Amino acid sequence: MLRRSSVPLKTPDEIDAMAEAGRLSAKALRKVGEAVKPGVSTAELDEIAETLIREEGGIPAFKGYGGFPGTICASINDEIVHGIPSKQRILQEGDIISIDTGAIVDGWVGDNAWTYGVGTIDSNWEKLLATTEESLWAGIAAAQSGNRLGDIGHAVQKVAERAGYGVVREYAGHGIGRVMHEEPTVRNYGRPHTGLVLQPGMVIAIEPMVTMGTYRTVLQPDGWLVCTRDGLPSAHFEKTVAITDSGVRVLTEEPDYPRPL
């Protein structure tokens, strides 16, 4: 692994290895998403993810990380990120749920998230999900060699705020490699043509967190769960991507499901 400044750069072979961690992370996320329905507990969803990851030779990336007890983060409605799975959290018709999970394969980490509707959801909430997904792909499109971190944040922010939504400031994407969080911090807001120059070999997790109301957040007493301050819903989408000479490469995808969610 090369290193320039404080940002680790991966070789092409290392990026290929990270793609295997990404594939398993994406498969786990897809399988959990397929199980989202009214009456299911978030603990059941957690078990699906952990079982699949371990059966395929991976290690759940979140479990035990900083003391986190789950394989997935399961955040419902006004919960933005880091919800702890529980047998007591039962999905209800009309909910939305952010599932964030990842896998470690041969020491490399994959990290991804998606927000799902539970049954039929309100049309305004559908728009929030669609806009947040659009902001993710806009951020990914901006992750080109020679661009800057501010271009990614600006792309995400432009899509979200154009729709009248808030963009969370306190939490962000990040570099990723053999550990979950590396430099640089990848914010979901910013000014174009500012910040760190993107170079081939950088691998980052881009993860917009978009709210229907204020972008301000509240950390709950368990020290993990983050909610919107105004109680309005939030959506969260994430992909791990690599900056390469030939463009941006999405690593958290399955070969047979290039956009599986």
Side-chain angles (χ1 to χ4, degrees):
M1 188 189 307
L2 306 175
R3 179 178 287 273
R4 298 176 188 171
S5 302
S6 59
V7 178
L9 302 181
K10 282 72 174 179
T11 67
D13 286 345
E14 288 172 332
I15 290 172
D16 286 342
M18 289 198 70
E20 180 57 23
R23 180 203 64 79
L24 184 52
S25 301
K27 184 174 182 178
L29 183 61
R30 177 172 60 85
K31 289 295 187 180
V32 171
E34 291 170 354
V36 167
K37 61 182 180 180
V40 172
S41 74
T42 57
E44 291 175 86
L45 299 178
D46 190 76
E47 183 178 0
I48 290 169
E50 180 169 4
T51 297
L52 186 149
I53 290 169
R54 294 195 187 279
E55 284 181 347
E56 297 212 3
I59 299 169
F62 293 5
K63 195 160 191 176
Y65 185 79
F68 189 78
T71 294
I72 66 171
C73 297
S75 309
I76 300 171
N77 297 340
D78 65 320
E79 300 170 358
I80 302 170
V81 286
H82 304 159
I84 296 173
S86 168
K87 293 179 181 179
Q88 284 70 49
R89 295 304 308 276
I90 308 297
L91 299 182
Q92 305 294 323
E93 180 82 20
D95 284 342
I96 58 174
I97 179 169
S98 162
I99 303 294
D100 191 351
T101 195
I104 301 170
V105 177
D106 293 331
W108 297 102
V109 184
D111 185 11
N112 53 185
W114 212 259
T115 302
Y116 302 92
V118 181
T120 301
I121 65 172
D122 183 275
S123 60
N124 290 323
W125 293 29
E126 287 182 346
K127 181 184 174 184
L128 174 66
L129 269 58
T131 300
T132 309
E133 181 185 355
E134 181 185 352
S135 75
L136 168 67
W137 293 111
I140 290 172
Q144 303 290 335
S145 179
N147 281 358
R148 293 176 177 267
L149 277 178
D151 295 313
I152 297 175
H154 177 73
V156 171
Q157 183 179 16
K158 183 178 179 180
V159 170
E161 293 187 348
R162 183 180 61 204
Y165 299 138
V167 179
V168 171
R169 265 58 169 177
E170 292 93 338
Y171 301 87
H174 49 89
I176 186 170
R178 288 197 176 275
V179 295
M180 176 73 69
H181 294 99
E182 296 181 345
E183 293 295 329
T185 299
V186 185
R187 293 184 173 85
N188 295 308
Y189 63 96
R191 291 182 292 118
H193 317 305
T194 63
L196 183 74
V197 176
L198 303 176
Q199 304 175 56
M202 289 182 178
V203 180
I204 57 177
I206 300 174
E207 52 178 317
M209 288 159 267
V210 176
T211 62
M212 194 171 282
T214 181
Y215 62 79
R216 299 190 182 278
T217 67
V218 177
L219 179 64
Q220 299 303 302
D222 65 7
W224 286 105
L225 179 62
V226 179
C227 297
T228 59
R229 184 169 293 183
D230 58 12
L232 292 178
S234 172
H236 174 212
F237 290 74
E238 177 183 20
K239 293 280 190 182
T240 297
V241 305
I243 314 301
T244 76
D245 288 319
S246 57
V248 62
R249 177 181 177 184
V250 178
L251 301 182
T252 45
E253 288 191 337
E254 299 174 86
D256 295 334
Y257 296 86
R259 286 202 186 184
L261 302 164

